[in-house]
């Protein structure tokens, strides 16, 4: 007798429980469970390892991938040691606080003077709620709060030769005008028969109803197609004087051609991104809370800091690593296996006995740059003067993005990100001295926010990832993922495994580092227990 979907689900429910059933229902299109599942992971169990001895694993790099590897293998009884060149866990997952000192590859030293409780997340700062990072926060007891990734009252700032250039435009105003005009044009086209090939009359009626709602359009004017479905502005875009006991004074929309010429509509797709849509989260007190929670869970004694790996490779019995601590003589460590999480473009330059095709696969990854500056103010002027509580102002000049803090509202002081930029904009800022970066950031920020941007500044700290030791880039890209290089690194080379966000389809996210580490852990463990 053929099985019905109902029979199938009943069996799944009995065998796998409600979670599995909901997932299966989603796969069959029967429930809202189409909610994404994180890539499947079966953590190794101590009971499985018992017969095989407690294997030793050296992990190169104590960033999020290295920490995840040590955590998962350690839970199952593997004897792990992390060798980390920096003097802290987390790698790129780095929160700068008062007292943080960093010397970049050009020899420029900065010492952060942020006040107690103030910090900047120099690398990762936001977490989508579906990332495995959030699961680890739950498991490790890292408290989370909302990260405001989108704010209707933050600004868009566009340069160029058009009428809206050089003026800060609130997101809500830009959105109202863009949605309004696009809706008006589509409603008119629909009403005047331009889409008759594609739409039935019922479709057309439904579409026009949708567009009137979406764009805040006027009604059809009988016998006057051009006066029909007009967008003439709305309270959505904000008021010159807000409604009180008298009606508010809405601000008139910009002209259609000005809106189109300015490109202010080109930023909204950002908030639709799978990984950038609200709700977003951040750890309370700084992103490095995750790395330190891992360190606690793994055991501080399992991590050797200041350990710069200078050579590694396979031996006849396992693996061997050479490393130096503080310039003193080279140390050696041996183990059964090795997991290398050092960024690929750096790992490729470390002497090893890996086959040339593995080294060239590592070198194939291309680093790209990003930069940030943290600005601590003694007055939260963005809240007091601009009524902005968190969120992002997007600029098309070298600033890229300005972030207002998502926490500490109405506090005495606050730290914002004065720029977060990538690519050539990051390089433009990165080539300046820290003092030069600050001066440029203040000028460009003041053009958007006014002179208040230059007042009440207490301290600043800037990071150029390209010139940051042990990273030399923000993240990497693969010129191709189908020419064998990427796949080669998913497999071990002898007893050497590779992990890191570069070996995932979520590069530039801690989630990528975690799922890649999990994949290496599963592969290594499967090999051990099947030996
Ligand atoms: P890394 O963190 O680079 O770890 C590699 C480790 O190897 C480092 O600790 C390094 O010190 C060490 N190492 C290097 N050389 C040696 C050596 N010779 N010997 C020993 N150790 C060595 N992710 C998010 O989830 N959300 C975000 O909002 C986000 N934003 C980001 C913004 C920026 C500006 C940047 C730079 C990154 C951002 N990311 C974000 C991405 C996130 O930081 C990474 O995906 C993740 O931290 C990578 O972890 P990893 O362990 O693979 O690599
Ligand atoms: N994950 C990083 C961030 O959110 C880098 C990134 C930016 C990735 C934009 C995708 C899109 O800042």
């Amino acid at each position: 007798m053929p099985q019905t979907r109902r029979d199938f689900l009943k069996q799944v429910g009995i065998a796998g429980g409600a979670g599995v059933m909901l997932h299966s229902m989603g796969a069959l299109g029967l429930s809202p469970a189409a909610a994404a599942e994180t890539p499947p992971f079966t953590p190794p169990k101590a009971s499985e390892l018992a017969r095989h001895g407690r294997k030793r694993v050296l992990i190169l790099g104590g960033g999020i991938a290295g920490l995840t590897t040590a955590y998962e293998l350690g839970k199952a009884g593997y004897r792990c040691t992390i060798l980390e060149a920096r003097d802290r866990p987390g790698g790129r997952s780095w929160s700068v606080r008062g007292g943080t000192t960093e010397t970049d590859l050009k020899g420029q030293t900065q010492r952060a003077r942020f006040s107690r409780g103030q910090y900047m997340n120099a690398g990762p700062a936001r977490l989508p709620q579906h990332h495995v990072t959030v699961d680890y926060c739950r498991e490790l007891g890292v408290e989370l709060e909302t990260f405001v990734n989108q704010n209707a009252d933050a600004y868009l700032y566009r340069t160029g030769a058009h009428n809206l250039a050089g003026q800060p435009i609130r997101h809500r105003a830009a959105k109202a005008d863009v949605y309004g005009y696009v809706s008006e044009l589509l409603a008119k086209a629909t009403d005047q028969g331009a889409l008759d090939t594609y739409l039935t009359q019922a479709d057309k009626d439904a579409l026009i109803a949708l567009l009137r709602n979406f764009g805040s359009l006027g009604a059809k004017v009988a016998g006057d197609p051009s006066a029909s479905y007009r967008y003439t502005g709305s309270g959505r875009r904000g008021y010159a004087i807000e409604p009180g006991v008298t009606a508010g004074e809405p601000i008139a929309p910009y002209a259609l051609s000005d809106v189109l010429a300015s490109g202010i509509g080109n930023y909204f797709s950002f908030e639709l991104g799978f990984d950038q849509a609200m709700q977003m989260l951040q750890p309370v007190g700084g992103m490095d809370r995750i790395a330190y929670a891992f360190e606690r869970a793994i055991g501080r004694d399992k991590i050797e800091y200041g350990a710069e790996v200078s050579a590694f490779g396979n031996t006849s019995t396992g693996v061997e690593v050479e490393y130096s601590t503080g310039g003193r003589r080279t140390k050696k460590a041996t183990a059964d296996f090795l997991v290398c999480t050092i960024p690929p473009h750096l790992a490729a330059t470390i002497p090893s006995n890996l086959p040339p095709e593995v080294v060239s696969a590592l070198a194939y990854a291309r680093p790209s740059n990003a930069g940030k500056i943290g600005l601590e103010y003694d007055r939260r002027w963005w809240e007091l003067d601009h009524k902005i509580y968190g969120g992002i102002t997007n600029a098309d000049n070298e600033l890229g993005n300005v972030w207002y803090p998502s926490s500490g509202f109405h506090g005495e002081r606050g730290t914002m990100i004065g720029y977060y930029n990538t690519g050539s904009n990051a390089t433009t800022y990165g080539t300046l001295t820290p003092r030069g970066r600050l001066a440029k950031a203040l000028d460009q920020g003041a053009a958007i926010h006014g002179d208040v941007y230059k007042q009440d500044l207490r301290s600043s700290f800037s990071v150029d990832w390209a010139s940051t030791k042990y990273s030399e880039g923000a993240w990497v890209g693969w010129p191709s993922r189908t020419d064998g290089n990427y796949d080669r690194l998913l497999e071990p080379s002898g007893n050497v495994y590779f992990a890191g966000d570069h070996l995932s389809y979520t590069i530039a996210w801690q989630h990528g580092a975690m799922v890649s580490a999990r994949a290496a852990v599963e592969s290594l463990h499967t090999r051990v227990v099947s030996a």
Side-chain angles (χ1 to χ4, degrees):
M1 199 176 69
Q3 231 197 3
T4 64
R5 287 201 290 189
R6 196 189 167 89
D7 293 333
F8 169 70
L9 287 171
K10 217 163 137 186
Q11 282 159 21
V12 171
I14 292 164
V20 176
M21 178 148 107
L22 206 60
H23 181 56
S24 305
M25 287 171 74
L28 293 174
L30 295 177
S31 82
E37 295 265 317
T38 47
F41 172 58
T42 313
K45 294 193 196 67
S47 57
E48 295 159 354
L49 199 61
R51 289 190 301 113
H52 302 275
R54 298 186 61 217
K55 301 287 184 203
R56 279 191 54 83
V57 183
L58 282 169
I59 297 159
L60 310 188
I64 294 299
L67 294 166
T68 306
T69 304
Y71 177 65
E72 292 297 349
L73 287 176
K75 279 200 288 189
Y78 286 86
R79 290 178 295 159
C80 297
T81 302
I82 296 179
L83 299 174
E84 167 53 54
R86 289 172 160 114
D87 59 3
R88 56 166 181 83
R92 278 171 277 166
S93 191
W94 181 33
S95 304
V96 175
R97 297 196 171 68
T100 301
T101 304
E102 178 80 5
T103 301
D104 68 18
L105 291 166
K106 300 173 198 159
Q108 306 178 117
T109 300
Q110 289 181 81
R111 184 176 166 80
R113 301 191 189 285
F114 295 137
S115 314
R116 206 181 159 77
Q118 297 294 313
Y119 66 89
M120 75 177 276
N121 286 324
R126 50 189 163 198
L127 307 174
Q129 56 200 330
H130 56 266
H131 274 188
V132 92
T133 320
V134 172
D135 298 338
Y136 278 115
C137 287
R138 191 189 312 109
E139 189 167 328
L140 298 168
V142 176
E143 196 184 338
L144 295 172
E145 62 192 1
T146 294
F147 175 89
V148 184
N149 209 28
Q150 196 278 327
N151 183 337
D153 281 330
Y155 298 110
L156 291 167
Y157 184 80
R158 295 290 174 265
T159 56
H162 55 84
N163 289 335
L164 304 188
Q167 51 177 303
I169 297 167
R170 301 267 188 186
H171 278 231
R172 65 166 79 250
K175 227 178 212 179
D177 287 359
V178 170
Y179 287 17
Y181 286 128
V182 170
S183 298
E184 175 180 341
L185 292 170
L186 187 50
K188 283 194 156 99
T190 307
D191 181 50
Q192 292 169 38
L195 300 174
D196 284 0
T197 322
Y198 309 105
L199 301 173
T200 64
Q201 187 56 48
D203 292 338
K204 287 174 24 172
D205 293 345
L207 178 60
I208 286 176
L210 183 159
L211 291 169
R212 286 196 60 199
N213 175 282
F214 189 70
S216 192
L217 306 183
K220 183 177 174 83
V221 178
D224 190 346
S226 79
S228 294
Y229 305 124
R230 287 192 62 207
Y231 170 68
T232 53
S234 84
R236 289 178 186 178
R237 67 188 317 291
Y239 294 86
I241 299 173
E242 289 186 21
V245 291
T246 55
E249 272 181 33
I251 306 167
Y254 297 123
L256 167 64
S257 60
D258 290 343
V259 168
L260 294 176
S262 69
I264 53 172
N266 298 345
Y267 179 71
F268 304 132
S269 60
F270 180 76
E271 71 201 50
L272 302 177
F274 181 53
D275 289 323
Q276 296 289 1
M278 287 295 281
Q279 172 73 309
M280 300 284 284
L281 300 162
Q282 65 178 10
V284 174
M287 190 57 82
D288 66 350
R289 302 297 88 187
I290 298 177
Y292 283 102
F294 267 126
E295 183 199 64
R296 263 194 310 283
I298 292 163
R300 171 69 185 77
D301 57 317
K302 308 281 192 313
I303 310 178
E304 187 161 352
Y305 290 116
E308 186 176 317
V309 171
S310 49
F312 66 98
N314 288 289
T315 63
S316 55
T317 52
V319 296
E320 186 174 70
V321 175
E322 285 180 13
Y323 64 101
S324 61
T325 46
R328 271 172 268 131
R329 68 179 174 79
T330 306
K331 294 184 182 177
K332 275 198 169 109
T334 56
D336 299 300
F337 297 100
L338 186 155
V339 182
C340 176
T341 72
I342 293 171
H345 52 293
L346 302 184
T349 65
I350 299 176
S352 74
N353 61 6
L354 297 173
E357 65 273 17
V358 173
V359 177
S360 65
L362 288 166
Y364 191 50
R366 302 287 143 80
S368 62
N369 198 15
K372 284 189 187 181
I373 192 167
L375 303 173
E376 182 191 356
Y377 288 90
D378 279 332
R379 181 171 176 270
R380 295 175 75 98
W381 53 262
W382 51 92
E383 292 166 9
L384 295 165
D385 303 340
H386 291 250
K387 299 198 179 160
I388 295 175
Y389 290 77
I392 294 173
T393 279
N394 174 262
D396 70 352
N397 57 19
E398 295 99 330
L399 283 178
N401 298 284
V402 174
W403 289 14
Y404 312 97
S406 290
S407 62
F409 299 140
H410 293 171
E412 208 182 328
R413 52 179 57 102
T415 303
M416 55 183 282
I417 299 295
Y419 62 77
Y420 172 19
N421 47 26
T422 55
S424 60
N425 292 335
T427 304
T428 300
Y429 266 98
T431 50
L432 301 173
T433 61
R435 195 187 285 265
R437 292 174 203 157
L438 174 63
K440 189 174 173 70
L442 290 181
D443 282 343
Q444 290 194 313
I448 303 174
H449 300 91
D451 283 346
V452 72
Y453 207 81
K454 296 188 175 179
Q455 292 154 15
D456 300 305
L457 184 73
R458 172 178 277 256
S459 60
S460 78
F461 191 95
S462 57
V463 176
D464 166 51
W465 280 97
S467 56
T468 299
K469 202 169 179 199
Y470 305 125
S471 294
E472 298 191 29
W475 47 75
V476 300
W478 294 101
S480 161
R481 292 217 203 214
T482 52
D483 60 6
N485 286 293
Y486 178 82
D487 287 346
R488 188 161 290 131
L489 300 175
L490 297 179
E491 300 297 329
S493 178
N495 286 13
V496 175
Y497 289 72
F498 300 95
D501 68 334
H502 55 286
L503 293 176
S504 77
Y505 277 79
T506 38
I507 289 178
W509 292 102
Q510 294 166 101
H511 172 90
M514 288 166 167
V515 297
S516 158
R518 287 174 159 202
V521 162
E522 267 185 332
S523 163
L524 191 158
H525 180 66
T526 306
R527 177 165 161 195
V528 167
V529 296
S530 26

